[in-house]
Amino acid sequence: KQEVTQIPAALSVPEGENLVLNCSFTDSAIYNLQWFRQDPGKGLTSLLLIQSSQREQTSGRLNASLDKSSGRSTLYIAASQPGDSATYLCAVRPTYGNNRLAFGKGNQVVVIP
Amino acid sequence: DTAVSQTPKYLVTQMGNDKSIKCEQNLGHDTMYWYKQDSKKFLKIMFSYNNKELIINETVPNRFSPKSPDKAHLNLHINSLELGDSAVYFCASSRGGRTEAFFGQGTRLTVV
C-alpha cells in the first residue's frame, strides 16, 4: 500500500525566503506525481505534474523535483510571498492497478509579511 | 469558466436524512472521481468512473451511491446520513486515469 508523507507538516517563513517542501512515498512504482495547493475552505489547485520519467518541472517561481528511486519529491517556491500561504499537497499515482491518487497530509505554509 | 463545479458548497443536515451532491466538469474529461477529506485533512478516494463506468469503489458504506448520467457528470447520493459522514467531499476529473487531475471547490457536509 502506497504511503505518502509530507514534512514539515507546518512551517512559517518571512516574505522573500525560499520555501522547500518535502514529499516522500513508500512505493517507487509510480506513474506520475502531482503537487496541489489548497487554500482554507477552497478546493485543490493543480500546480505541477511530474511524469515518472522526468526529474523536474518548473512553472514560474515553482520548481518540483522527483527522485523516483528514492521515493522523494521536493517543491521549491522561490522568493515567497504572503499570497503563497496555503496548504501544499503531494499526490502520487501508481503504475499498476487503478487510477487512484494517494495523497499526503500536506505542508501548511504561512508566509509572514 | 469553472472547470469542475460542485453543488452545493455547504450542506448542513440532520442524521438519517438523504442528500445528494452534484458535480459537473466542462473539460471534456472521461474520468471523474469522488474524494473525501476528513477532519484531519487527509484526502482519500471513494469512487472513480471512466466513461460512465465504475472503475474504483473503495471500501465505503453502501449508503454512498455514485451516479454518472454522462461523462461530464458524477453525482454522489448519500442515504441515512450519520455524524461520521461529516467531511469535505471533492469531485475531480482527468483525461484518462493517468493525466493531471483537476478538482472542484469541495462540498462541506455537516451532519447534526
Side-chain angles (χ1 to χ4, degrees), chain A residues 3 7 9 21 23 30 36 39 42-44 52-53 64 66-67 75 80 89 94-95 106-110:
Chain A
E3 291 186 6
I7 295 173
L21 308 177
C23 170
I30 67 167
F36 295 88
D39 293 281
K42 301 277 181 72
L44 278 67
S52 61
S53 57
L66 174 64
D67 184 343
L75 179 66
S80 61
L89 294 161
T95 302
N107 307 104
Q108 188 175 358
V109 172
V110 174

Side-chain angles (χ1 to χ4, degrees), chain B residues 1-109:
Chain B
D1 286 342
T2 304
V4 182
S5 60
Q6 300 176 224
T7 54
K9 188 174 181 180
Y10 300 97
L11 186 53
V12 181
T13 187
Q14 289 186 323
M15 283 176 57
N17 284 350
D18 303 339
K19 290 293 178 185
S20 292
I21 306 171
K22 294 185 176 181
C23 178
E24 176 182 5
Q25 54 93 6
N26 62 6
L27 296 167
H29 290 164
D30 56 2
T31 304
M32 296 186 71
Y33 314 82
W34 278 108
Y35 283 82
K36 179 180 179 180
Q37 189 172 42
D38 59 26
S39 57
K40 297 181 180 179
K41 306 298 183 186
F42 192 52
L43 266 160
K44 190 173 180 183
I45 194 165
M46 299 174 68
F47 301 103
S48 174
Y49 270 73
N50 178 265
N51 283 319
K52 302 192 299 175
E53 289 190 17
L54 180 66
I55 55 173
I56 296 176
N57 185 352
E58 282 297 284
T59 309
V60 299
N62 56 16
R63 298 181 294 103
F64 291 77
S65 54
K67 283 189 170 55
S68 181
D70 55 57
K71 286 195 307 182
H73 296 84
L74 181 61
N75 304 322
L76 183 64
H77 188 75
I78 315 170
N79 289 328
S80 304
L81 277 155
E82 300 177 357
L83 293 176
D85 297 332
S86 296
V88 181
Y89 293 85
F90 285 99
C91 177
S93 73
S94 65
R95 189 180 306 279
R98 294 184 166 185
T99 61
E100 188 174 10
F102 293 85
F103 280 70
Q105 294 279 45
T107 296
R108 182 174 294 278
L109 171 65

